[in-house]
Amino acid sequence: MAQPLIILGVGRSGTTLLRVMLDRNSELAIPYESFFVPQLAHRHGRRPDLDDFLDDLGRLRTLYDWGIKPDDVRPRLHEGMTTSEAIAAIFETYAERQGKSRWGDKTPLYMQQLPLLEKLFPDASWVHLVRDGRDAALSFLELPEGFSGKTWAQPHTAAQFAARWRTEILAARRLGQLAGGRYLELRYEDLVDEPERLLRRVCEHASLAWEPGMLDHTRPSDTAHMPEHRNLAQPPTPGLRDWRSQMSSEDALAFEQVAGDVLQSSGYELVEPGGRYPSRQGRLELARFAALSRSWNLTAATYQRSPLWRRSHPPLG
């Protein structure tokens, strides 16, 4: 298959909208969030034992929800293949089921796993969707408890979300420096203002044919039953979240103290444009987030490599 297309973006930045639009293309299949890529990479090292790999596939809720069984993937596996190739075989199986020749992924939780993703998929095309972090924070902080996973670094305030937003955007831009022409950065606000122009840019970037049907993203999709994606039922709409009217001045300033530099470099206005960001308090918030997320990711990777993973992931179906 041709190179994969991976959508990057901090949670609540419009990546589901972009994913649904691109999935309307007759060449490209992008399923709902996969979640399993780091788990399989951590569990199987460079080259998997195929029986163990297939056994793990039968324990993954995501594949069960996609309607894919280990036996569906088995024909694409062969001795001596890398774990990267074996993981790609899962997505290839999904794409084939959709009658498509290419696959992609969109999982915002991977924003802290980008070096691993680049190592696994060195030929991938990357599309990074950036949204004003204050609007993303409004959307994120109203989600039900536990919706976006439970980690030690889970944001509960605008400033905490700002630390995550700034950290993950800069991580994606570092990936972009390595990927060169395989990386494209877009703004969510431009996507909803001019969807056809932005989608044509993505198609050119990813060597996809432009198809007008990509604009008809409001047709029912696999996210139709999810209340957190209810806005997909309407055309792209500017201003669904507006921090200027919906966020307190205290929270807006707290966000700016942490991530004002990246807001500015991304073309967003500041409440106090003359400040030096991140401020001292902002640097403390960033250090807190870095320590918590690093310890969580190390603990998660250790757990995923251990026998405990299979105990907590019994075979499905």
PDB file of all heavy atoms in Angstrom, residues 8-10 13 111-112 114 128-133 136 161-176 183 185-186 255 259 262-263 265-266 268:
ATOM      1  N   LEU A   8      -2.362  14.687  13.133  1.00  0.00           N
ATOM      2  CA  LEU A   8      -1.898  15.069  14.461  1.00  0.00           C
ATOM      3  C   LEU A   8      -2.715  16.247  14.973  1.00  0.00           C
ATOM      4  O   LEU A   8      -3.197  17.064  14.190  1.00  0.00           O
ATOM      5  CB  LEU A   8      -0.424  15.476  14.412  1.00  0.00           C
ATOM      6  CG  LEU A   8       0.570  14.467  13.847  1.00  0.00           C
ATOM      7  CD1 LEU A   8       1.967  15.070  13.805  1.00  0.00           C
ATOM      8  CD2 LEU A   8       0.560  13.185  14.657  1.00  0.00           C
ATOM      9  N   GLY A   9      -2.835  16.331  16.278  1.00  0.00           N
ATOM     10  CA  GLY A   9      -3.510  17.473  16.872  1.00  0.00           C
ATOM     11  C   GLY A   9      -3.781  17.228  18.341  1.00  0.00           C
ATOM     12  O   GLY A   9      -4.039  16.099  18.758  1.00  0.00           O
ATOM     13  N   VAL A  10      -3.709  18.273  19.132  1.00  0.00           N
ATOM     14  CA  VAL A  10      -4.075  18.185  20.537  1.00  0.00           C
ATOM     15  C   VAL A  10      -5.563  17.853  20.622  1.00  0.00           C
ATOM     16  O   VAL A  10      -6.351  18.249  19.756  1.00  0.00           O
ATOM     17  CB  VAL A  10      -3.777  19.515  21.250  1.00  0.00           C
ATOM     18  CG1 VAL A  10      -4.146  19.443  22.723  1.00  0.00           C
ATOM     19  CG2 VAL A  10      -2.313  19.899  21.071  1.00  0.00           C
ATOM     20  N   SER A  13      -9.158  19.623  19.012  1.00  0.00           N
ATOM     21  CA  SER A  13      -8.651  20.611  18.054  1.00  0.00           C
ATOM     22  C   SER A  13      -9.263  20.457  16.672  1.00  0.00           C
ATOM     23  O   SER A  13      -8.774  21.039  15.711  1.00  0.00           O
ATOM     24  CB  SER A  13      -7.120  20.520  17.956  1.00  0.00           C
ATOM     25  OG  SER A  13      -6.517  20.977  19.143  1.00  0.00           O
ATOM     26  N   MET A 111       0.023  12.134  20.636  1.00  0.00           N
ATOM     27  CA  MET A 111       0.829  13.346  20.532  1.00  0.00           C
ATOM     28  C   MET A 111       2.042  13.328  21.462  1.00  0.00           C
ATOM     29  O   MET A 111       2.984  14.096  21.266  1.00  0.00           O
ATOM     30  CB  MET A 111      -0.033  14.573  20.813  1.00  0.00           C
ATOM     31  CG  MET A 111      -1.004  14.902  19.694  1.00  0.00           C
ATOM     32  SD  MET A 111      -0.199  15.520  18.199  1.00  0.00           S
ATOM     33  CE  MET A 111       0.142  17.222  18.653  1.00  0.00           C
ATOM     34  N   GLN A 112       2.026  12.467  22.460  1.00  0.00           N
ATOM     35  CA  GLN A 112       3.197  12.309  23.317  1.00  0.00           C
ATOM     36  C   GLN A 112       4.006  11.066  22.945  1.00  0.00           C
ATOM     37  O   GLN A 112       4.892  10.653  23.705  1.00  0.00           O
ATOM     38  CB  GLN A 112       2.753  12.256  24.782  1.00  0.00           C
ATOM     39  CG  GLN A 112       2.162  13.568  25.249  1.00  0.00           C
ATOM     40  CD  GLN A 112       1.777  13.543  26.701  1.00  0.00           C
ATOM     41  OE1 GLN A 112       2.499  13.021  27.544  1.00  0.00           O
ATOM     42  NE2 GLN A 112       0.634  14.121  27.023  1.00  0.00           N
ATOM     43  N   LEU A 114       5.219  10.765  19.560  1.00  0.00           N
ATOM     44  CA  LEU A 114       5.579  11.060  18.174  1.00  0.00           C
ATOM     45  C   LEU A 114       6.921  10.486  17.739  1.00  0.00           C
ATOM     46  O   LEU A 114       7.046  10.003  16.601  1.00  0.00           O
ATOM     47  CB  LEU A 114       5.527  12.566  17.922  1.00  0.00           C
ATOM     48  CG  LEU A 114       4.140  13.200  18.116  1.00  0.00           C
ATOM     49  CD1 LEU A 114       4.176  14.671  17.729  1.00  0.00           C
ATOM     50  CD2 LEU A 114       3.073  12.457  17.317  1.00  0.00           C
ATOM     51  N   HIS A 128      -0.813  18.170  10.644  1.00  0.00           N
ATOM     52  CA  HIS A 128      -0.959  18.665  12.019  1.00  0.00           C
ATOM     53  C   HIS A 128      -1.983  19.794  12.029  1.00  0.00           C
ATOM     54  O   HIS A 128      -1.771  20.832  11.408  1.00  0.00           O
ATOM     55  CB  HIS A 128       0.393  19.157  12.528  1.00  0.00           C
ATOM     56  CG  HIS A 128       0.356  19.684  13.922  1.00  0.00           C
ATOM     57  ND1 HIS A 128       1.315  20.558  14.411  1.00  0.00           N
ATOM     58  CD2 HIS A 128      -0.515  19.482  14.949  1.00  0.00           C
ATOM     59  CE1 HIS A 128       1.035  20.850  15.663  1.00  0.00           C
ATOM     60  NE2 HIS A 128      -0.075  20.226  16.020  1.00  0.00           N
ATOM     61  N   LEU A 129      -3.100  19.566  12.721  1.00  0.00           N
ATOM     62  CA  LEU A 129      -4.155  20.559  12.803  1.00  0.00           C
ATOM     63  C   LEU A 129      -4.048  21.298  14.142  1.00  0.00           C
ATOM     64  O   LEU A 129      -4.130  20.688  15.211  1.00  0.00           O
ATOM     65  CB  LEU A 129      -5.522  19.881  12.683  1.00  0.00           C
ATOM     66  CG  LEU A 129      -6.724  20.800  12.484  1.00  0.00           C
ATOM     67  CD1 LEU A 129      -6.603  21.561  11.157  1.00  0.00           C
ATOM     68  CD2 LEU A 129      -8.030  20.007  12.508  1.00  0.00           C
ATOM     69  N   VAL A 130      -3.842  22.608  14.068  1.00  0.00           N
ATOM     70  CA  VAL A 130      -3.685  23.446  15.255  1.00  0.00           C
ATOM     71  C   VAL A 130      -4.941  24.286  15.437  1.00  0.00           C
ATOM     72  O   VAL A 130      -5.435  24.895  14.482  1.00  0.00           O
ATOM     73  CB  VAL A 130      -2.456  24.369  15.115  1.00  0.00           C
ATOM     74  CG1 VAL A 130      -2.355  25.314  16.303  1.00  0.00           C
ATOM     75  CG2 VAL A 130      -1.189  23.547  14.979  1.00  0.00           C
ATOM     76  N   ARG A 131      -5.450  24.304  16.666  1.00  0.00           N
ATOM     77  CA  ARG A 131      -6.594  25.147  17.015  1.00  0.00           C
ATOM     78  C   ARG A 131      -6.188  26.077  18.156  1.00  0.00           C
ATOM     79  O   ARG A 131      -5.364  25.697  18.999  1.00  0.00           O
ATOM     80  CB  ARG A 131      -7.769  24.277  17.459  1.00  0.00           C
ATOM     81  CG  ARG A 131      -9.043  25.037  17.792  1.00  0.00           C
ATOM     82  CD  ARG A 131     -10.106  24.087  18.321  1.00  0.00           C
ATOM     83  NE  ARG A 131     -11.406  24.741  18.437  1.00  0.00           N
ATOM     84  CZ  ARG A 131     -12.500  24.147  18.921  1.00  0.00           C
ATOM     85  NH1 ARG A 131     -12.443  22.882  19.340  1.00  0.00           N
ATOM     86  NH2 ARG A 131     -13.650  24.793  18.997  1.00  0.00           N
ATOM     87  N   ASP A 132      -6.767  27.275  18.188  1.00  0.00           N
ATOM     88  CA  ASP A 132      -6.514  28.170  19.310  1.00  0.00           C
ATOM     89  C   ASP A 132      -6.713  27.388  20.605  1.00  0.00           C
ATOM     90  O   ASP A 132      -7.796  26.861  20.869  1.00  0.00           O
ATOM     91  CB  ASP A 132      -7.478  29.361  19.247  1.00  0.00           C
ATOM     92  CG  ASP A 132      -7.144  30.446  20.262  1.00  0.00           C
ATOM     93  OD1 ASP A 132      -6.832  30.110  21.428  1.00  0.00           O
ATOM     94  OD2 ASP A 132      -7.204  31.641  19.889  1.00  0.00           O
ATOM     95  N   GLY A 133      -5.659  27.314  21.397  1.00  0.00           N
ATOM     96  CA  GLY A 133      -5.695  26.459  22.571  1.00  0.00           C
ATOM     97  C   GLY A 133      -6.732  26.858  23.595  1.00  0.00           C
ATOM     98  O   GLY A 133      -7.212  26.019  24.370  1.00  0.00           O
ATOM     99  N   ALA A 136      -9.868  25.198  22.407  1.00  0.00           N
ATOM    100  CA  ALA A 136      -9.731  23.760  22.660  1.00  0.00           C
ATOM    101  C   ALA A 136      -9.892  23.461  24.148  1.00  0.00           C
ATOM    102  O   ALA A 136     -10.492  22.456  24.536  1.00  0.00           O
ATOM    103  CB  ALA A 136      -8.376  23.262  22.159  1.00  0.00           C
ATOM    104  N   PHE A 161      -4.238  22.706  30.891  1.00  0.00           N
ATOM    105  CA  PHE A 161      -4.439  22.366  29.482  1.00  0.00           C
ATOM    106  C   PHE A 161      -3.441  23.118  28.608  1.00  0.00           C
ATOM    107  O   PHE A 161      -2.942  22.577  27.609  1.00  0.00           O
ATOM    108  CB  PHE A 161      -5.866  22.676  29.038  1.00  0.00           C
ATOM    109  CG  PHE A 161      -6.165  22.211  27.643  1.00  0.00           C
ATOM    110  CD1 PHE A 161      -6.562  20.904  27.402  1.00  0.00           C
ATOM    111  CD2 PHE A 161      -6.008  23.061  26.560  1.00  0.00           C
ATOM    112  CE1 PHE A 161      -6.818  20.454  26.104  1.00  0.00           C
ATOM    113  CE2 PHE A 161      -6.258  22.634  25.265  1.00  0.00           C
ATOM    114  CZ  PHE A 161      -6.667  21.324  25.036  1.00  0.00           C
ATOM    115  N   ALA A 162      -3.134  24.354  28.966  1.00  0.00           N
ATOM    116  CA  ALA A 162      -2.157  25.129  28.199  1.00  0.00           C
ATOM    117  C   ALA A 162      -0.807  24.438  28.173  1.00  0.00           C
ATOM    118  O   ALA A 162      -0.108  24.443  27.144  1.00  0.00           O
ATOM    119  CB  ALA A 162      -2.022  26.536  28.797  1.00  0.00           C
ATOM    120  N   ALA A 163      -0.418  23.825  29.289  1.00  0.00           N
ATOM    121  CA  ALA A 163       0.862  23.116  29.325  1.00  0.00           C
ATOM    122  C   ALA A 163       0.849  21.931  28.367  1.00  0.00           C
ATOM    123  O   ALA A 163       1.830  21.676  27.664  1.00  0.00           O
ATOM    124  CB  ALA A 163       1.150  22.652  30.756  1.00  0.00           C
ATOM    125  N   ARG A 164      -0.252  21.216  28.349  1.00  0.00           N
ATOM    126  CA  ARG A 164      -0.362  20.099  27.409  1.00  0.00           C
ATOM    127  C   ARG A 164      -0.375  20.598  25.977  1.00  0.00           C
ATOM    128  O   ARG A 164       0.325  20.046  25.110  1.00  0.00           O
ATOM    129  CB  ARG A 164      -1.643  19.306  27.710  1.00  0.00           C
ATOM    130  CG  ARG A 164      -1.933  18.181  26.729  1.00  0.00           C
ATOM    131  CD  ARG A 164      -3.140  17.383  27.187  1.00  0.00           C
ATOM    132  NE  ARG A 164      -3.530  16.394  26.199  1.00  0.00           N
ATOM    133  CZ  ARG A 164      -4.508  15.522  26.398  1.00  0.00           C
ATOM    134  NH1 ARG A 164      -5.175  15.498  27.538  1.00  0.00           N
ATOM    135  NH2 ARG A 164      -4.827  14.663  25.454  1.00  0.00           N
ATOM    136  N   TRP A 165      -1.153  21.635  25.703  1.00  0.00           N
ATOM    137  CA  TRP A 165      -1.286  22.187  24.349  1.00  0.00           C
ATOM    138  C   TRP A 165       0.067  22.646  23.825  1.00  0.00           C
ATOM    139  O   TRP A 165       0.484  22.277  22.724  1.00  0.00           O
ATOM    140  CB  TRP A 165      -2.279  23.344  24.393  1.00  0.00           C
ATOM    141  CG  TRP A 165      -2.625  23.977  23.092  1.00  0.00           C
ATOM    142  CD1 TRP A 165      -3.559  23.562  22.186  1.00  0.00           C
ATOM    143  CD2 TRP A 165      -2.057  25.176  22.542  1.00  0.00           C
ATOM    144  NE1 TRP A 165      -3.607  24.421  21.113  1.00  0.00           N
ATOM    145  CE2 TRP A 165      -2.696  25.429  21.307  1.00  0.00           C
ATOM    146  CE3 TRP A 165      -1.081  26.073  22.991  1.00  0.00           C
ATOM    147  CZ2 TRP A 165      -2.382  26.528  20.511  1.00  0.00           C
ATOM    148  CZ3 TRP A 165      -0.762  27.165  22.196  1.00  0.00           C
ATOM    149  CH2 TRP A 165      -1.412  27.389  20.966  1.00  0.00           C
ATOM    150  N   ARG A 166       0.772  23.430  24.614  1.00  0.00           N
ATOM    151  CA  ARG A 166       2.075  23.948  24.180  1.00  0.00           C
ATOM    152  C   ARG A 166       3.070  22.819  23.955  1.00  0.00           C
ATOM    153  O   ARG A 166       3.773  22.774  22.937  1.00  0.00           O
ATOM    154  CB  ARG A 166       2.627  24.928  25.221  1.00  0.00           C
ATOM    155  CG  ARG A 166       3.970  25.566  24.843  1.00  0.00           C
ATOM    156  CD  ARG A 166       4.484  26.431  25.992  1.00  0.00           C
ATOM    157  NE  ARG A 166       5.643  27.215  25.599  1.00  0.00           N
ATOM    158  CZ  ARG A 166       6.901  26.761  25.623  1.00  0.00           C
ATOM    159  NH1 ARG A 166       7.142  25.522  26.035  1.00  0.00           N
ATOM    160  NH2 ARG A 166       7.902  27.543  25.253  1.00  0.00           N
ATOM    161  N   THR A 167       3.132  21.882  24.900  1.00  0.00           N
ATOM    162  CA  THR A 167       4.091  20.777  24.813  1.00  0.00           C
ATOM    163  C   THR A 167       3.844  19.937  23.572  1.00  0.00           C
ATOM    164  O   THR A 167       4.783  19.584  22.835  1.00  0.00           O
ATOM    165  CB  THR A 167       3.986  19.899  26.077  1.00  0.00           C
ATOM    166  OG1 THR A 167       4.313  20.685  27.226  1.00  0.00           O
ATOM    167  CG2 THR A 167       4.918  18.705  25.994  1.00  0.00           C
ATOM    168  N   GLU A 168       2.591  19.611  23.301  1.00  0.00           N
ATOM    169  CA  GLU A 168       2.285  18.713  22.189  1.00  0.00           C
ATOM    170  C   GLU A 168       2.426  19.405  20.845  1.00  0.00           C
ATOM    171  O   GLU A 168       2.865  18.778  19.864  1.00  0.00           O
ATOM    172  CB  GLU A 168       0.890  18.130  22.383  1.00  0.00           C
ATOM    173  CG  GLU A 168       0.826  17.202  23.602  1.00  0.00           C
ATOM    174  CD  GLU A 168      -0.505  16.536  23.824  1.00  0.00           C
ATOM    175  OE1 GLU A 168      -1.481  16.863  23.098  1.00  0.00           O
ATOM    176  OE2 GLU A 168      -0.597  15.678  24.720  1.00  0.00           O
ATOM    177  N   ILE A 169       2.097  20.675  20.765  1.00  0.00           N
ATOM    178  CA  ILE A 169       2.289  21.389  19.501  1.00  0.00           C
ATOM    179  C   ILE A 169       3.773  21.493  19.162  1.00  0.00           C
ATOM    180  O   ILE A 169       4.190  21.255  18.013  1.00  0.00           O
ATOM    181  CB  ILE A 169       1.628  22.779  19.552  1.00  0.00           C
ATOM    182  CG1 ILE A 169       0.121  22.618  19.416  1.00  0.00           C
ATOM    183  CG2 ILE A 169       2.170  23.685  18.448  1.00  0.00           C
ATOM    184  CD1 ILE A 169      -0.642  23.909  19.392  1.00  0.00           C
ATOM    185  N   LEU A 170       4.590  21.809  20.137  1.00  0.00           N
ATOM    186  CA  LEU A 170       6.031  21.904  19.872  1.00  0.00           C
ATOM    187  C   LEU A 170       6.614  20.538  19.526  1.00  0.00           C
ATOM    188  O   LEU A 170       7.525  20.443  18.694  1.00  0.00           O
ATOM    189  CB  LEU A 170       6.741  22.516  21.076  1.00  0.00           C
ATOM    190  CG  LEU A 170       6.423  23.991  21.353  1.00  0.00           C
ATOM    191  CD1 LEU A 170       7.205  24.490  22.565  1.00  0.00           C
ATOM    192  CD2 LEU A 170       6.717  24.861  20.128  1.00  0.00           C
ATOM    193  N   ALA A 171       6.084  19.473  20.130  1.00  0.00           N
ATOM    194  CA  ALA A 171       6.546  18.125  19.778  1.00  0.00           C
ATOM    195  C   ALA A 171       6.219  17.809  18.321  1.00  0.00           C
ATOM    196  O   ALA A 171       7.042  17.233  17.590  1.00  0.00           O
ATOM    197  CB  ALA A 171       5.902  17.092  20.700  1.00  0.00           C
ATOM    198  N   ALA A 172       5.019  18.183  17.878  1.00  0.00           N
ATOM    199  CA  ALA A 172       4.652  17.947  16.481  1.00  0.00           C
ATOM    200  C   ALA A 172       5.527  18.762  15.539  1.00  0.00           C
ATOM    201  O   ALA A 172       5.921  18.290  14.464  1.00  0.00           O
ATOM    202  CB  ALA A 172       3.178  18.276  16.265  1.00  0.00           C
ATOM    203  N   ARG A 173       5.874  19.977  15.934  1.00  0.00           N
ATOM    204  CA  ARG A 173       6.728  20.798  15.071  1.00  0.00           C
ATOM    205  C   ARG A 173       8.149  20.256  15.015  1.00  0.00           C
ATOM    206  O   ARG A 173       8.812  20.367  13.978  1.00  0.00           O
ATOM    207  CB  ARG A 173       6.702  22.250  15.557  1.00  0.00           C
ATOM    208  CG  ARG A 173       5.365  22.912  15.268  1.00  0.00           C
ATOM    209  CD  ARG A 173       5.248  24.312  15.825  1.00  0.00           C
ATOM    210  NE  ARG A 173       3.963  24.912  15.437  1.00  0.00           N
ATOM    211  CZ  ARG A 173       3.497  26.066  15.892  1.00  0.00           C
ATOM    212  NH1 ARG A 173       4.212  26.761  16.772  1.00  0.00           N
ATOM    213  NH2 ARG A 173       2.329  26.528  15.486  1.00  0.00           N
ATOM    214  N   ARG A 174       8.621  19.665  16.103  1.00  0.00           N
ATOM    215  CA  ARG A 174       9.941  19.001  16.046  1.00  0.00           C
ATOM    216  C   ARG A 174       9.889  17.821  15.086  1.00  0.00           C
ATOM    217  O   ARG A 174      10.837  17.595  14.313  1.00  0.00           O
ATOM    218  CB  ARG A 174      10.360  18.545  17.445  1.00  0.00           C
ATOM    219  CG  ARG A 174      10.799  19.675  18.353  1.00  0.00           C
ATOM    220  CD  ARG A 174      11.502  19.161  19.595  1.00  0.00           C
ATOM    221  NE  ARG A 174      10.629  18.355  20.446  1.00  0.00           N
ATOM    222  CZ  ARG A 174       9.844  18.857  21.393  1.00  0.00           C
ATOM    223  NH1 ARG A 174       9.807  20.162  21.612  1.00  0.00           N
ATOM    224  NH2 ARG A 174       9.101  18.066  22.136  1.00  0.00           N
ATOM    225  N   LEU A 175       8.797  17.077  15.119  1.00  0.00           N
ATOM    226  CA  LEU A 175       8.622  15.992  14.152  1.00  0.00           C
ATOM    227  C   LEU A 175       8.635  16.550  12.735  1.00  0.00           C
ATOM    228  O   LEU A 175       9.244  15.972  11.824  1.00  0.00           O
ATOM    229  CB  LEU A 175       7.314  15.260  14.429  1.00  0.00           C
ATOM    230  CG  LEU A 175       6.864  14.248  13.372  1.00  0.00           C
ATOM    231  CD1 LEU A 175       7.843  13.084  13.275  1.00  0.00           C
ATOM    232  CD2 LEU A 175       5.464  13.727  13.688  1.00  0.00           C
ATOM    233  N   GLY A 176       7.978  17.688  12.547  1.00  0.00           N
ATOM    234  CA  GLY A 176       7.940  18.298  11.228  1.00  0.00           C
ATOM    235  C   GLY A 176       9.310  18.672  10.709  1.00  0.00           C
ATOM    236  O   GLY A 176       9.588  18.563   9.506  1.00  0.00           O
ATOM    237  N   TYR A 183       5.466  16.711   6.201  1.00  0.00           N
ATOM    238  CA  TYR A 183       4.710  17.335   7.286  1.00  0.00           C
ATOM    239  C   TYR A 183       4.003  18.580   6.776  1.00  0.00           C
ATOM    240  O   TYR A 183       4.586  19.406   6.071  1.00  0.00           O
ATOM    241  CB  TYR A 183       5.676  17.708   8.409  1.00  0.00           C
ATOM    242  CG  TYR A 183       5.087  18.489   9.564  1.00  0.00           C
ATOM    243  CD1 TYR A 183       4.535  17.847  10.662  1.00  0.00           C
ATOM    244  CD2 TYR A 183       5.120  19.892   9.566  1.00  0.00           C
ATOM    245  CE1 TYR A 183       4.016  18.571  11.738  1.00  0.00           C
ATOM    246  CE2 TYR A 183       4.613  20.620  10.636  1.00  0.00           C
ATOM    247  CZ  TYR A 183       4.065  19.948  11.719  1.00  0.00           C
ATOM    248  OH  TYR A 183       3.563  20.668  12.776  1.00  0.00           O
ATOM    249  N   GLU A 185       1.274  21.656   8.323  1.00  0.00           N
ATOM    250  CA  GLU A 185       0.548  22.215   9.459  1.00  0.00           C
ATOM    251  C   GLU A 185      -0.557  23.127   8.963  1.00  0.00           C
ATOM    252  O   GLU A 185      -0.350  23.977   8.095  1.00  0.00           O
ATOM    253  CB  GLU A 185       1.505  22.982  10.377  1.00  0.00           C
ATOM    254  CG  GLU A 185       0.817  23.534  11.633  1.00  0.00           C
ATOM    255  CD  GLU A 185       1.811  24.116  12.624  1.00  0.00           C
ATOM    256  OE1 GLU A 185       2.750  23.370  13.009  1.00  0.00           O
ATOM    257  OE2 GLU A 185       1.654  25.299  13.008  1.00  0.00           O
ATOM    258  N   LEU A 186      -1.748  22.936   9.505  1.00  0.00           N
ATOM    259  CA  LEU A 186      -2.920  23.730   9.162  1.00  0.00           C
ATOM    260  C   LEU A 186      -3.565  24.268  10.432  1.00  0.00           C
ATOM    261  O   LEU A 186      -3.344  23.746  11.520  1.00  0.00           O
ATOM    262  CB  LEU A 186      -3.957  22.869   8.419  1.00  0.00           C
ATOM    263  CG  LEU A 186      -3.508  22.106   7.183  1.00  0.00           C
ATOM    264  CD1 LEU A 186      -4.615  21.167   6.721  1.00  0.00           C
ATOM    265  CD2 LEU A 186      -3.127  23.067   6.068  1.00  0.00           C
ATOM    266  N   PHE A 255      -3.798  30.873  30.758  1.00  0.00           N
ATOM    267  CA  PHE A 255      -3.379  30.129  29.571  1.00  0.00           C
ATOM    268  C   PHE A 255      -2.208  30.835  28.897  1.00  0.00           C
ATOM    269  O   PHE A 255      -1.222  30.211  28.504  1.00  0.00           O
ATOM    270  CB  PHE A 255      -4.562  29.994  28.607  1.00  0.00           C
ATOM    271  CG  PHE A 255      -4.357  28.978  27.528  1.00  0.00           C
ATOM    272  CD1 PHE A 255      -4.989  27.757  27.567  1.00  0.00           C
ATOM    273  CD2 PHE A 255      -3.498  29.237  26.449  1.00  0.00           C
ATOM    274  CE1 PHE A 255      -4.793  26.805  26.566  1.00  0.00           C
ATOM    275  CE2 PHE A 255      -3.297  28.305  25.455  1.00  0.00           C
ATOM    276  CZ  PHE A 255      -3.950  27.071  25.512  1.00  0.00           C
ATOM    277  N   ALA A 259       1.455  29.508  27.591  1.00  0.00           N
ATOM    278  CA  ALA A 259       1.613  29.195  26.164  1.00  0.00           C
ATOM    279  C   ALA A 259       1.483  30.397  25.250  1.00  0.00           C
ATOM    280  O   ALA A 259       1.242  30.245  24.055  1.00  0.00           O
ATOM    281  CB  ALA A 259       0.573  28.140  25.774  1.00  0.00           C
ATOM    282  N   VAL A 262       3.550  30.272  21.940  1.00  0.00           N
ATOM    283  CA  VAL A 262       3.076  29.395  20.867  1.00  0.00           C
ATOM    284  C   VAL A 262       1.755  29.904  20.295  1.00  0.00           C
ATOM    285  O   VAL A 262       1.502  29.764  19.090  1.00  0.00           O
ATOM    286  CB  VAL A 262       2.958  27.941  21.367  1.00  0.00           C
ATOM    287  CG1 VAL A 262       2.386  27.032  20.293  1.00  0.00           C
ATOM    288  CG2 VAL A 262       4.334  27.434  21.793  1.00  0.00           C
ATOM    289  N   LEU A 263       0.908  30.502  21.130  1.00  0.00           N
ATOM    290  CA  LEU A 263      -0.278  31.168  20.583  1.00  0.00           C
ATOM    291  C   LEU A 263       0.142  32.198  19.542  1.00  0.00           C
ATOM    292  O   LEU A 263      -0.407  32.257  18.430  1.00  0.00           O
ATOM    293  CB  LEU A 263      -1.061  31.863  21.704  1.00  0.00           C
ATOM    294  CG  LEU A 263      -1.909  31.003  22.626  1.00  0.00           C
ATOM    295  CD1 LEU A 263      -2.418  31.830  23.805  1.00  0.00           C
ATOM    296  CD2 LEU A 263      -3.091  30.390  21.877  1.00  0.00           C
ATOM    297  N   SER A 265       3.050  32.500  17.865  1.00  0.00           N
ATOM    298  CA  SER A 265       3.702  31.922  16.683  1.00  0.00           C
ATOM    299  C   SER A 265       2.711  31.207  15.772  1.00  0.00           C
ATOM    300  O   SER A 265       2.997  30.982  14.596  1.00  0.00           O
ATOM    301  CB  SER A 265       4.811  30.950  17.104  1.00  0.00           C
ATOM    302  OG  SER A 265       4.274  29.774  17.686  1.00  0.00           O
ATOM    303  N   SER A 266       1.535  30.860  16.316  1.00  0.00           N
ATOM    304  CA  SER A 266       0.501  30.193  15.528  1.00  0.00           C
ATOM    305  C   SER A 266      -0.482  31.184  14.926  1.00  0.00           C
ATOM    306  O   SER A 266      -1.441  30.784  14.261  1.00  0.00           O
ATOM    307  CB  SER A 266      -0.259  29.186  16.401  1.00  0.00           C
ATOM    308  OG  SER A 266       0.625  28.237  16.965  1.00  0.00           O
ATOM    309  N   TYR A 268      -2.338  33.584  16.684  1.00  0.00           N
ATOM    310  CA  TYR A 268      -3.483  33.921  17.521  1.00  0.00           C
ATOM    311  C   TYR A 268      -3.185  35.171  18.348  1.00  0.00           C
ATOM    312  O   TYR A 268      -2.062  35.364  18.805  1.00  0.00           O
ATOM    313  CB  TYR A 268      -3.847  32.748  18.429  1.00  0.00           C
ATOM    314  CG  TYR A 268      -4.230  31.495  17.671  1.00  0.00           C
ATOM    315  CD1 TYR A 268      -3.470  30.340  17.750  1.00  0.00           C
ATOM    316  CD2 TYR A 268      -5.369  31.491  16.856  1.00  0.00           C
ATOM    317  CE1 TYR A 268      -3.819  29.201  17.046  1.00  0.00           C
ATOM    318  CE2 TYR A 268      -5.727  30.354  16.145  1.00  0.00           C
ATOM    319  CZ  TYR A 268      -4.948  29.210  16.240  1.00  0.00           C
ATOM    320  OH  TYR A 268      -5.294  28.087  15.540  1.00  0.00           O
TER     321      TYR A 268
END
